[in-house]
Every structure is written in C-alpha cells, then in structure tokens.
C-alpha cells in the first residue's frame, strides 16, 4: 500500500515539475516582452534608440549597424568599399557628410548629438 502511494506521489511530482517548467517558460516569454517594451521606452527617452551615437546617424539607416539599410545602400551604389559603410555616411572620406545627420538630430531633439566614438 505504501509503495503504491509513493509511486503515485512521484508520478504526481513529476507531472507538477513538468507543468512548472512549461509555465515558467510562458512566464519567461511574457516577462521578456515586458522588459523589451520598457527598454524601448527608455531608449526613446534618452534618444539612443533612434540615434546611433557610435556612428553619428539614425540607427534606422546606420550602414554599420543595420544590415538591411547597408544592403539598400549597396544596391543603390552608395557604398564606400574602403571603409565598408554607405558612402553618404562615410565621414572618414568626407567629414562634412556628418553635418546633414547632425542637423537631423538637432531638428528632432533641439540639441547636439553625442560625440561619435569612431
Ligand atoms: Zn551604427
Ligand atoms: Zn570612406
């Protein structure tokens, strides 16, 4: 009798463990989404979600960070082979190109963009 009960218990425990694993899986996914949303909001607040501070252009069109944008620039023939970025974003070849993007930033936030790190 005791043995049968023990077996039932272990079966129940195993099942509960499985349910717990599955549930924590769902919870994880949900909380990940929440964290992501919070992060995005925070990024928008400090401008860094939109702006690629490292390369001095909007992240959306950053040919160094955004593979999709890079592909589009390459397709258009707007590409600097030497520095492996969009020619229109190659401030190494022509520093004055940065101005256009700086103005974009200033128009949006009314302040100078952060110093580029490259
Ligand atoms: Zn970038
Ligand atoms: Zn270049």
């Amino acid at each position: 009798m005791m043995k049968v009960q023990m077996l039932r218990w272990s079966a129940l425990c195993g099942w509960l463990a499985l349910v717990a694993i599955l549930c924590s899986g769902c919870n994880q996914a949900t909380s990940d989404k929440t964290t992501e949303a919070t992060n995005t909001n925070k990024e928008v607040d400090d401008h860094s979600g939109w702006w690629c501070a490292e390369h001095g252009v909007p992240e959306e069109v950053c040919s160094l960070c955004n593979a999709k944008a890079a592909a589009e620039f390459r397709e258009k023939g707007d590409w600097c082979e030497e520095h492996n970025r969009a020619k229109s974003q190659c401030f190494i070849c022509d520093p004055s190109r940065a101005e256009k993007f700086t103005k974009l930033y200033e128009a949006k936030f009314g302040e100078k963009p952060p110093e580029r790190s490259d």
Side-chain angles (χ1 to χ4, degrees), residues 4 6 9 15 23-24 56-57 59 72 79 87 96 100 116-117:
V4 174
M6 284 289 281
W9 263 112
W15 189 78
C23 279
S24 70
V57 296
E59 196 70 71
E72 278 166 22
W79 196 257
K87 205 165 194 73
S96 73
K100 185 181 111 191
R116 264 181 294 127
S117 56

Side-chain angles (χ1 to χ4, degrees), residues 47-98:
H47 308 166
S48 59
W50 176 75
W51 186 253
C52 176
E54 206 181 332
H55 305 121
V57 296
E59 196 70 71
E60 201 180 58
V61 298
C62 182
S63 59
L64 285 153
C65 297
N66 188 333
K68 200 173 145 259
E72 278 166 22
F73 283 117
R74 274 178 189 275
E75 224 165 90
K76 281 188 282 184
D78 180 359
W79 196 257
C80 176
E81 290 292 343
E82 199 186 337
H83 303 114
N84 204 33
R85 66 193 68 188
K87 205 165 194 73
S88 58
Q89 287 173 11
C90 189
F91 310 145
I92 304 166
C93 288
D94 185 355
S96 73
R97 284 175 185 142

Side-chain angles (χ1 to χ4, degrees), residues 2-42:
M2 276 302 280
K3 224 175 185 177
V4 174
Q5 257 185 346
M6 284 289 281
L7 273 175
R8 273 189 188 160
W9 263 112
S10 56
L12 185 68
C13 285
W15 189 78
L16 279 176
L18 190 71
V19 170
I21 289 164
L22 287 176
C23 279
S24 70
C26 317
N27 284 343
Q28 192 100 42
T30 321
S31 65
D32 273 353
K33 255 181 212 155
T34 320
T35 326
E36 214 173 88
T38 324
N39 279 346
T40 314
N41 284 340
K42 219 174 104 201

